[in-house]
Amino acid sequence: MPTDAVKPGRASLFYDPKIRGYVYQIVLLAVVAFLIWSAASNAIENLRAQKIASGFGFWHNAAGFDVNQKLIPFSAAASTYGQAFWVGLLNTLLVASIGIVLSTFLGFFVGVARLSSNWVLAKLAMIYVEVIRNLPLLLQLFFWYNAVLKPLPDARNSIALPGSIFLNNRGLILPNPQFGPAFQAVVIAFFVAVVVAFVFYRWSKTQQARTGTQYPNGLITLALILGVPLLVFFFAGSPLSFELPQQGRFNLTGGLQIFPEFVALLIGLTTYTAGFIAEVVRAGILAVSKGQTEAAHALGLRPGPTLKLVVIPQAMRVIIPPLTSNYLNLTKNSSLAVAIGYPDLVQVFTGTVLNQTGQAVEVVAITMAVYLTISLVTSLFMNIYNQRMALVER
Amino acid sequence: MKSFVTAAIAAAISVCAASSVQAQTNTLAQVKNRGILHCGSGTGLAGFGLPDAQGNWTGLDVDLCRAVAAAIFNDPNKVKFIPLSAKDRFTSLQSGEVDLLSRTTTWTMSRDTSLGLNFAGVNYYDGQGFMVRKKLGVDSVLKLAGASICTQQGTTTELNLADYFRANNLKYEVVAFASNTETVKAYESGRCDAFTTDASGLYAERLTLSAPADHIVLPEIISKEPLGPVVRHGDDLWLDIVKWTHFAMLNAEELGVSKANVDEMLKSPNPEIKRLLGTEGKYGEAIGLTNDWAYRIVKLVGNYGEVFEKNVGAGSLLKIARGQNALWTKGGLQYAPPIR
């Protein structure tokens, strides 16, 4: 018996749950790595056997096709498949980022409206959520695309709006801003104003905490951010001109064109995601105990400040995690763009480029990596935000 | 945890085993085992491949699949048609989801060489055209400067369009859709001034518009579009079967062997007909089939001319003239090597 007492250390090395945990994890990791390696080498071998071109050499080959909406220069004559990838990616990011901002506003509004004491408003919000959430997004996109296009006149009978703005079934055509070199100063002034406004905000908060004096933060911030760049703009001699759209044979030429595909996709994604965000917001607000509202009212706070200062900050803790997944969903759903002809990443890259090169494995792998990256970055930022919003226990 | 690890290891082993099996493919044996031919078809184009209300597929491309099924199974209905969009078709063929792709696919060098595919012939000589509304008053593609043009993505059409407008220094705006249906719908709603695809497709799609008479097809044909069936690279026997099915239909037309007279023709003293119908020689066995393979094709599906007339020619709504798809003996391009 005494010998047992001498070597419990050796026995526990084998039975130590911690060590065993590590061993299992290493084994699992090795198995996963082996699976990935064997799948990849299997794919490469099969591609070679079938004489299907592989590798990333296609990236620098001439594209030979055109894309209508592009945020960077792209042409069939001079661009490569690699540039087509960037065109598609930027279009995806554009619609996703604007969609996230708009759906957040709309979702919060509808979510709060559904809890409103105004019966009509609450019921309208309920109908909105139930209708939007229960119809497939693809169907909604078709609806919006046709709804956007149908009432619009053809290009020869464009609706002329004040300020050289035209509307027809090719989109909304705006005067195209041409920035002079001195415009840089305005941009710099804007960023300086933002920093100054931020510093002032922090200062006013500490002042309020110290002395109780409240400053008109909103007004001052607005004056700084709008006023300073505007002043610089006039001092620099108004370095901004507009290229006005001209009526051509078929369509208006020149000008900045906002395509109906973009508008339809944006409306579709925004309204659809807002339906889910509204429910998340409602759940978040309902999760805040009623006692909090009653306590705030007892302190003499009106309903508006109660919502803003007491309820929403606590509800945010519940709201942020599901809100993050809705942002991710919106980004991923933007790939349905392919159905209504919006040139997003899936349409341009996984559609046209894949077809013209035939390199399915590479193209799909890149696309998957892109969506994964976008999702992880979104999650990262939302997690950082979540940590800041979480209750700070003192 | 332990059982999970065991399962993972088992899965890993089975993946390795599976990877070594995938060596040489024998499509004919697979098709025979399965008892049905998997044919990749279009998502619906009148005259070439379109399912009716009962789900029966008809069309020129569809009949080529039926002919292959007739040659293998003696039954033209042992085909499962799998509708594929332009952008999915090659991946489906490469991955083995379909045995044969017969859906208005243009034979190009890059597809033939770097996609791991083989083209088995040309069953329709086509070229890319443009359709516009009559009221636009346009009578030539060269007058389409500044126009907005709808097309289907992942097609040679998309590339020819860019080439042609670049070569003629014309500005245009392209709107590309994943499916043909959406492309036509966008054209009809007025989103685009013009719709471009292969000329045959234009005539077929015009029929589906609400007022076909309001649209015209412009005279320019801006490209060569040899359309034909496609198989995977690396299975020569299967390529031969598909290729010679098409040639058998052409030879039958040239020799005057039709669905109606094929039984009579079995008694023909003409040695060419005898070799075609399998009463002389062992040409069918050379491609892994029975010697009456071509007899079955003609008996159950018809010769090329019959199939053409029924689906896209005079006997159809499309009423496309034989033109360059006539036999070489009649001034066309359709020419089959002899069976001997």
Side-chain angles (χ1 to χ4, degrees):
Chain A
M1 286 295 132
T3 45
D4 279 356
V6 180
K7 43 178 180 178
R10 277 190 76 179
S12 71
L13 195 67
F14 190 71
Y15 290 106
D16 183 358
K18 215 172 164 185
I19 305 257
R20 295 187 92 178
Y22 279 125
V23 169
Y24 280 136
Q25 288 197 35
I26 288 166
V27 169
L28 183 66
L29 202 68
V31 169
V32 170
F34 176 73
L35 279 177
I36 292 173
W37 171 80
S38 66
S41 60
N42 186 18
I44 290 169
E45 196 175 303
N46 281 331
L47 289 175
R48 201 173 294 147
Q50 288 189 49
K51 297 229 166 33
I52 298 174
S54 60
F56 293 93
F58 70 94
W59 198 258
H60 299 291
N61 293 353
F65 61 90
D66 280 302
V67 180
N68 59 359
Q69 182 184 316
K70 50 213 166 197
L71 299 178
I72 53 170
F74 183 86
S75 71
S79 301
T80 61
Y81 289 130
Q83 280 161 308
F85 165 80
W86 290 109
V87 167
L89 177 59
L90 288 174
N91 283 344
T92 291
L93 291 176
L94 180 75
V95 79
S97 53
I98 299 178
I100 283 175
V101 172
L102 294 183
S103 62
T104 307
F105 281 116
L106 185 60
F108 266 79
F109 174 76
V110 175
V112 172
R114 201 171 167 181
L115 294 171
S116 164
S117 51
N118 182 327
W119 189 86
V120 178
L121 192 62
K123 286 299 156 197
L124 279 177
M126 188 193 84
I127 293 169
Y128 172 85
V129 168
E130 293 311 325
V131 169
I132 290 284
R133 279 202 317 167
N134 291 309
L135 291 174
L137 177 56
L138 187 61
L139 221 61
Q140 295 190 33
L141 288 181
F142 284 139
F143 169 79
W144 287 115
Y145 189 44
N146 290 313
V148 166
L149 280 178
K150 277 279 154 56
L152 297 176
D154 61 31
R156 289 178 175 192
N157 306 308
S158 308
I159 302 171
L161 299 170
S164 288
I165 296 172
F166 295 92
L167 189 63
N168 61 34
N169 59 12
R170 306 292 147 76
L172 182 67
I173 296 108
L174 307 165
N176 196 3
Q178 308 285 314
F179 300 106
F183 197 82
Q184 277 182 355
V186 180
V187 178
I188 295 169
F190 172 77
F191 283 110
V192 171
V194 169
V195 173
V196 172
F198 181 71
V199 171
F200 173 78
Y201 178 80
R202 294 294 293 264
W203 177 81
S204 79
K205 280 289 160 194
T206 41
Q207 282 294 307
Q208 190 186 346
R210 224 158 47 91
T211 65
T213 330
Q214 284 194 27
Y215 293 87
N217 280 322
L219 275 176
I220 289 174
T221 309
L222 197 72
L224 276 170
I225 290 178
L226 277 182
V228 173
L230 215 61
L231 276 178
V232 174
F233 178 76
F234 286 118
F235 272 116
S238 309
L240 177 68
S241 59
F242 288 94
E243 182 203 10
L244 301 180
Q246 305 288 326
Q247 181 74 53
R249 183 181 169 84
F250 296 103
N251 201 352
L252 298 149
T253 54
L256 186 73
Q257 195 175 358
I258 297 174
F259 294 93
E261 289 81 24
F262 173 76
V263 176
L265 182 63
L266 186 62
I267 296 177
L269 287 176
T270 302
T271 52
Y272 182 75
T273 313
F276 290 87
I277 292 180
E279 285 299 88
V280 168
V281 169
R282 184 170 72 110
I285 292 175
L286 288 178
V288 178
S289 128
K290 204 166 163 49
Q292 296 284 331
T293 318
E294 284 164 355
H297 286 169
L299 284 175
L301 281 178
R302 280 168 286 116
T306 304
L307 197 64
K308 190 178 149 214
L309 298 171
V310 177
V311 178
I312 296 278
Q314 294 185 68
M316 283 312 272
R317 298 176 56 220
V318 181
I319 292 173
I320 290 172
L323 190 65
T324 309
S325 19
N326 277 307
Y327 288 172
L328 301 184
N329 278 339
L330 186 143
T331 310
K332 288 180 287 178
N333 285 340
S334 72
S335 60
L336 287 171
V338 68
I340 56 167
Y342 176 72
D344 78 322
L345 181 69
V346 170
Q347 206 237 23
V348 175
F349 196 61
T350 327
T352 305
V353 172
L354 191 160
N355 237 274
Q356 307 298 1
T357 61
Q359 293 186 251
V361 177
E362 291 85 353
V363 169
V364 172
I366 292 173
T367 312
M368 277 163 50
V370 166
Y371 279 99
L372 190 65
T373 310
I374 296 176
S375 293
L376 288 178
V377 168
T378 312
S379 291
L380 177 73
F381 280 113
M382 291 303 283
N383 281 339
I384 292 172
Y385 184 58
N386 192 24
Q387 273 172 7
R388 293 185 59 111
M389 289 301 286
L391 267 197
V392 185
E393 307 216 359
R394 294 194 175 95
Chain B
M1 183 72 195
K2 200 167 195 173
S3 61
F4 176 70
V5 172
T6 329
I9 292 169
I13 291 166
S14 62
V15 163
C16 294
S19 67
S20 56
V21 169
Q22 267 264 349
Q24 186 64 41
T25 52
N26 185 344
T27 313
L28 178 63
Q30 281 172 11
V31 171
K32 277 182 170 167
N33 266 339
R34 201 193 297 131
I36 195 159
L37 175 72
H38 284 176
C39 181
S41 65
T43 50
L45 183 65
F48 291 85
L50 188 71
D52 64 13
Q54 282 80 45
N56 297 316
W57 287 76
T58 55
L60 187 71
D61 289 334
V62 164
D63 278 345
L64 188 80
C65 294
R66 295 210 190 278
V68 173
I72 299 173
F73 299 115
N74 195 20
D75 181 354
N77 294 318
K78 286 201 169 166
V79 188
K80 183 181 170 197
F81 291 101
I82 297 164
L84 299 173
S85 75
K87 70 190 260 293
D88 298 330
R89 56 187 162 178
F90 299 125
T91 322
S92 288
L93 181 62
Q94 287 165 344
S95 65
E97 196 194 335
V98 296
D99 307 308
L100 164 65
L101 184 70
S102 182
R103 70 168 303 290
T104 58
T105 299
T106 306
W107 189 345
T108 68
M109 182 166 175
S110 65
R111 287 174 178 178
D112 204 356
T113 54
S114 64
L115 292 194
L117 304 175
N118 276 329
F119 281 78
V122 178
N123 71 334
Y124 191 92
Y125 287 97
D126 210 340
Q128 183 176 345
F130 290 81
M131 179 158 67
V132 294
R133 279 176 195 73
K134 266 186 191 155
K135 65 168 193 212
L136 270 186
V138 170
D139 57 3
S140 159
V141 179
L142 296 172
K143 291 182 183 163
L144 283 177
S148 148
I149 298 170
C150 283
T151 185
Q152 198 185 349
Q153 65 163 177
T155 55
T156 48
T157 309
E158 204 180 3
L159 302 179
N160 297 331
L161 176 69
D163 282 355
Y164 189 79
F165 277 70
R166 197 201 317 169
N168 288 295
N169 209 8
L170 303 172
K171 270 191 140 180
Y172 74 108
E173 180 212 335
V174 66
V175 191
F177 294 85
S179 89
N180 202 38
T181 326
E182 293 311 319
T183 317
V184 176
K185 218 187 274 170
Y187 166 71
E188 192 166 25
S189 76
R191 173 66 184 89
C192 300
D193 299 300
F195 165 52
T196 181
T197 188
D198 295 346
S200 58
L202 290 179
Y203 288 106
E205 293 298 353
R206 189 164 66 166
L207 294 176
T208 67
L209 299 176
S210 55
D214 291 352
H215 303 266
I216 53 162
V217 174
L218 297 177
E220 286 93 343
I221 295 293
I222 66 163
S223 68
K224 288 184 287 186
E225 307 287 334
L227 310 179
V230 198
V231 296
R232 267 183 302 281
H233 190 105
D235 188 347
D236 291 351
L237 178 68
W238 184 245
L239 172 65
D240 285 344
I241 291 172
V242 177
K243 187 161 55 182
W244 282 96
T245 299
H246 173 56
F247 288 156
M249 292 168 85
L250 282 176
N251 280 324
E253 187 189 2
E254 194 182 325
L255 296 168
V257 180
S258 68
K259 206 171 175 173
N261 69 8
V262 66
D263 285 314
E264 250 171 78
M265 285 291 184
L266 283 175
K267 287 170 272 174
S268 165
N270 182 337
E272 282 190 84
I273 295 178
K274 285 179 122 171
R275 289 194 294 269
L276 175 72
L277 297 182
T279 49
E280 189 181 301
K282 298 214 182 295
Y283 297 97
E285 285 175 15
I287 52 172
L289 303 174
T290 52
N291 280 331
D292 62 345
W293 63 289
Y295 165 81
R296 295 169 170 190
I297 292 171
V298 179
K299 175 78 184 163
L300 299 169
V301 182
N303 68 35
Y304 181 76
E306 288 177 293
V307 168
F308 190 97
E309 292 308 318
K310 183 181 80 180
N311 291 308
V312 298
S316 73
L317 286 169
L318 295 179
K319 308 223 182 307
I320 298 176
R322 272 302 277 274
Q324 53 197 5
N325 285 297
L327 290 181
W328 66 287
T329 47
K330 291 178 183 150
L333 294 171
Q334 289 293 0
Y335 184 104
I339 295 175
R340 64 177 315 135

